[in-house]
Amino acid sequence: MSQPVVDAVDVVKFLGRGAGRVQALKGVSLSLRGGELVLLMGPSGSGKTTLLSILGCLMTPTSGMVRVRGRPVADLDPEGLARIRRDHIGFIFQSYHLFPTLTAEDNVRLALDVRGERAQRKAARDVLGMVGLAHKTRAFPGELSGGEQQRVAIARAIVGKAPAILADEPTGALDAQNGQAIMSLLAGIARDQSRGVLVVTHDPRILPFASRIVHIDDGRIVGEETGSEAKKVSMS
Amino acid sequence: MMPLKFRLAYRNLFHDRLRFIATIVGIIFSIVLVTVQMGLYVGFRRMVTTMIDHSSADLWIMPAGTKCFEDPSLLDDRQRFRALAVEGVADAAPLVIGYAQWRLPSGTTTPVFVVGSELRGSGLRPWNLAGGRIDDLTVPGAVAIDQSYFERLGVSGIGDSAEIRDQKVQVMAVTKGIRSFTTTPYVFAGVDRARSYTGMAANKVSYFLVRVAPGSDVGRVRRQLRDGLPDVEILTAAEFRSRSRSFWLFGTGAGAALFAGALLGFIVGTVIVAQTLYSSTKDHLSEFATLRAIGSSGAYIYLVIILQALLSAVIGFCGAVAISSVVVGMTADSALPIVMTPTMALALFLLTGVMCVASAIAAIVQVMRIDPTTVLAR
């Protein structure tokens, strides 16, 4: 089995201060390995997004350890965490978060530009071609459908060849057909043994794409099943 | 190909056109205000020393404590001979200045500032002659005035007459552009006539303009003059220029007022640009958070904001230069022209850049506080 691209060990996270302080994660351990598409499922407020933020180095845990490609990130400052995200993590958001004043191509190029990479245009076009948007490189986000915008966001996430792709409700704003198409793309990405995809979702329609499903509730991992087990359950 | 940072900056800036226009208008008027104030300062600085600038004297002998060219203190005429006795002094030309009343042919009077000098040697003669000759001023009662004061002095050109202190004067030479910042017209005449016009005693003068003999050391001549003339001050032209400027610009508060106006313009411009950049950044906060989430460094984001500021500066500066050029042209023939020099234009460009970049600080501080996890909020 591949090495974990990102893993969390016994992570605890408190959010807020004073009377509003809550424990969002209560000792969570989770690994994302290359070649797998993991679904992180749970009800609202269960800690899914907090865990995604910590795995994605957007947030640091109160205690516990997070490693990206085996390297602990606990002692990194915000700039160091930004470097980790830039080089190792690709994000896909429910509301796409594309830049409305930039074309699809420039939105994708941004992920390379922040890394200081040159020859961005060709790489951006190639990736847009991979997600089926070769004909929309010059379009602005406002001219694209929701599904197309999410494809651009996927292109932005993968153009830097990040080993960990973290997606937050990527199909949440899409209809069933577009949701299936997006998940097919993500599943395709996860076939690459050097890349793992973690999807936070509560959309049961995408279960068939998972190689593993992790259930979280009240800040704890409460169950885990393989994709084939889930398929059996969903078929029955 | 345009760098993506630059593209992002200019699209952020141009995205809200109304706000962009408001920013540019703010910058333009701020810089025009600074230009006018600084242009007035430079113009004033030049005007207050125009007589000193147009004198060929190496040294000025003046009453002790003289503050500026227009100072009414007087010297004794006999000191001229003591000065001429100093080795290395080639000439010590008397200069008489003072206010007088010019009576127009209509009978009304207006104040004038009389400058009386020898018309040869190192005397201070009118320059920029637009009509007549210097030699024409040797005629008794001949004066030279600037053509811009014709209407005020009730004359229309060479040959016209008026009176000063009940003495007939005739315009025999006309200059162009010799204007006083006090708006009182200059009237050039011979030394004796000037004394008579200003009511000065025949044994008094305002200055001696010293020309040092070729090969003589100005410093040494000055030391010797000081030894021989203990009750006067002897300044080089540069020193007298500096003293006059210092008196008019800072002794009177005029310079401080001009500087304060310029500073006000700078502050207003900074606040306008800061406000715009701040609100623009606030509008694009989710985009900057996305940039941060996908791994951009803080420096990358700050650069985008600074590029926005610099773009605003360049566009605003171009507009300000266009308007300022019109203002400069309109005041060129006035008593106190607004002056714009290439150095000043460069300095204003740098000032605009500094103003806009300083304005970006508030926006940068806001971006520094961005929490990238906000991109996950729904």
Side-chain angles (χ1 to χ4, degrees):
Chain A
M1 186 175 271
S2 306
Q3 290 299 308
V5 287
V6 181
D7 64 325
V9 180
D10 201 18
V11 164
V12 171
K13 181 68 182 177
F14 285 92
L15 296 174
R17 285 181 183 177
R21 186 174 160 93
V22 293
Q23 190 173 4
L25 296 176
K26 300 171 180 172
V28 172
S29 297
L30 178 69
S31 294
L32 174 67
R33 296 174 186 280
E36 66 174 353
L37 190 156
V38 178
L39 298 186
L40 181 61
M41 302 186 80
S44 294
S46 58
K48 306 188 292 292
T49 303
T50 305
L51 182 56
L52 185 81
S53 299
I54 288 173
L55 289 169
C57 300
L58 291 170
M59 196 183 266
T60 49
T62 307
S63 66
M65 183 168 61
V66 175
R67 288 179 295 216
V68 176
R69 298 189 105 177
R71 184 194 164 177
V73 297
D75 54 347
L76 295 177
D77 62 9
E79 285 299 315
L81 291 173
R83 273 195 297 278
I84 293 287
R85 294 196 294 273
R86 187 185 66 193
D87 296 335
H88 301 292
I89 294 161
F91 282 103
I92 300 163
F93 312 106
Q94 180 180 355
S95 45
Y96 325 129
H97 284 294
L98 299 178
F99 288 70
T101 57
L102 297 181
T103 61
E105 182 181 297
D106 285 343
N107 265 286
V108 176
R109 282 176 60 207
L110 261 184
L112 298 174
D113 203 58
V114 298
R115 298 162 73 136
E117 284 188 18
R118 290 167 188 267
Q120 305 159 357
R121 197 169 284 270
K122 186 181 178 307
R125 284 182 183 162
D126 289 348
V127 176
L128 281 168
M130 280 168 57
V131 298
L133 288 177
H135 59 299
K136 296 274 178 115
T137 58
R138 312 287 297 167
F140 288 92
E143 299 164 349
L144 299 172
S145 69
E148 287 171 330
Q149 288 188 57
Q150 196 58 295
R151 287 165 191 258
V152 176
I154 291 171
R156 181 176 66 188
I158 64 173
V159 69
K161 300 186 169 52
I165 305 295
L166 307 185
D168 181 34
E169 302 276 9
T171 59
L174 302 177
D175 59 29
Q177 191 183 353
N178 271 309
Q180 295 286 314
I182 292 299
M183 286 311 299
S184 295
L185 267 173
L186 293 176
I189 292 165
R191 276 196 283 274
D192 180 347
Q193 290 302 306
S194 66
R195 276 179 170 166
V197 178
L198 175 72
V199 177
V200 165
T201 185
H202 15 34
D203 182 356
R205 294 172 300 181
I206 66 174
L207 287 175
F209 296 94
S211 40
R212 187 154 61 97
I213 298 119
V214 176
H215 295 279
I216 185 169
D217 193 12
D218 193 26
R220 289 190 179 87
I221 303 288
V222 292
E224 190 171 329
E225 55 194 326
T226 62
S228 46
E229 287 168 352
K231 273 179 206 164
K232 282 181 199 165
V233 172
S234 66
M235 284 169 73
S236 63
Chain B
M1 190 171 65
M2 186 188 292
L4 200 49
K5 283 183 271 298
F6 187 79
R7 185 171 300 199
L8 188 59
Y10 96 75
R11 293 218 167 131
N12 275 357
L13 204 59
F14 285 74
H15 186 57
D16 186 338
R17 293 204 178 146
L18 197 62
R19 182 167 53 201
F20 172 69
I21 290 168
T23 309
I24 295 304
V25 169
I27 295 172
I28 286 174
F29 281 99
S30 163
I31 296 304
V32 167
L33 182 58
V34 174
T35 304
V36 167
Q37 297 294 317
M38 293 313 294
L40 277 173
Y41 175 81
V42 173
F44 190 56
R45 202 167 174 270
R46 281 186 184 177
M47 292 292 276
V48 296
T49 61
T50 186
M51 289 294 166
I52 304 167
D53 294 340
H54 286 90
S55 150
S56 58
D58 296 311
L59 295 168
W60 288 65
I61 299 176
M62 62 192 72
T66 298
K67 294 182 181 67
C68 61
F69 177 77
E70 292 78 11
D71 198 299
S73 306
L74 297 173
L75 292 168
D76 195 304
D77 194 30
R78 283 174 300 182
Q79 288 169 312
R80 179 184 189 195
F81 302 107
R82 288 191 206 160
L84 284 169
V86 170
E87 190 185 341
V89 172
D91 191 16
L95 181 68
V96 169
I97 59 160
Y99 286 93
Q101 289 292 324
W102 173 285
R103 184 178 296 280
L104 281 68
S106 63
T108 58
T109 60
T110 187
V112 291
F113 191 82
V114 178
V115 178
S117 174
E118 288 183 348
L119 301 169
R120 291 192 177 77
S122 53
L124 176 60
R125 293 178 292 278
W127 62 96
N128 281 355
L129 285 185
R133 296 175 302 151
I134 294 291
D135 287 344
D136 296 338
L137 297 176
T138 57
V139 176
V143 293
I145 60 170
D146 197 81
Q147 62 185 16
S148 57
Y149 294 121
F150 279 175
E151 192 180 341
R152 187 140 156 220
L153 298 176
V155 296
S156 57
I158 289 175
D160 283 4
S161 299
E163 282 182 13
I164 302 179
R165 210 175 251 263
D166 298 328
Q167 299 167 67
K168 185 184 172 190
V169 294
Q170 190 173 20
V171 177
M172 296 301 286
V174 172
T175 62
K176 185 182 176 189
I178 305 183
R179 304 197 59 157
S180 165
F181 65 97
T182 62
T183 74
T184 304
Y186 286 123
V187 173
F188 289 91
V191 175
D192 292 335
R193 283 283 176 172
R195 280 197 189 101
S196 168
Y197 298 151
T198 56
M200 189 184 290
N203 64 339
K204 296 291 180 185
V205 298
S206 304
Y207 300 98
F208 290 116
L209 307 185
V210 174
R211 194 155 63 197
V212 172
S216 297
D217 177 59
V218 175
R220 191 181 57 79
V221 170
R222 174 153 82 159
R223 281 192 296 277
Q224 287 183 328
L225 280 169
R226 273 182 183 154
D227 293 342
L229 301 165
D231 300 328
V232 301
E233 278 193 275
I234 300 153
L235 301 184
T236 62
E239 287 168 345
F240 191 28
R241 201 177 286 127
S242 169
R243 182 182 288 191
S244 287
R245 282 176 182 159
S246 176
F247 172 74
W248 283 112
L249 289 169
F250 303 107
T252 65
L258 292 171
F259 267 123
L263 185 65
L264 190 68
F266 180 79
I267 292 170
V268 168
T270 306
V271 170
I272 289 172
V273 181
Q275 195 278 333
T276 310
L277 282 177
Y278 183 81
S279 64
S280 164
T281 303
K282 209 168 176 183
D283 281 359
H284 293 98
L285 219 47
S286 72
E287 291 168 29
F288 289 124
T290 304
L291 270 178
R292 202 71 176 125
I294 66 174
S296 130
S297 63
Y300 185 98
I301 297 174
Y302 307 153
L303 190 58
V304 171
I305 294 172
I306 288 170
L307 281 172
Q308 281 180 241
L310 289 176
L311 261 172
S312 306
V314 170
I315 297 168
F317 178 76
C318 292
V321 163
I323 293 175
S324 298
S325 301
V326 174
V327 175
V328 166
M330 282 166 63
T331 63
D333 291 327
S334 69
L336 188 51
I338 294 167
V339 174
M340 170 78 96
T341 62
T343 310
M344 197 173 135
L346 180 65
L348 281 169
F349 179 66
L350 295 175
L351 183 78
T352 315
V354 168
M355 180 178 86
C356 291
V357 172
S359 306
I361 290 171
I364 286 173
V365 168
Q366 191 182 32
V367 163
M368 281 168 75
R369 296 196 195 120
I370 281 184
D371 177 3
T373 58
T374 57
V375 293
L376 299 175
R378 286 186 273 280

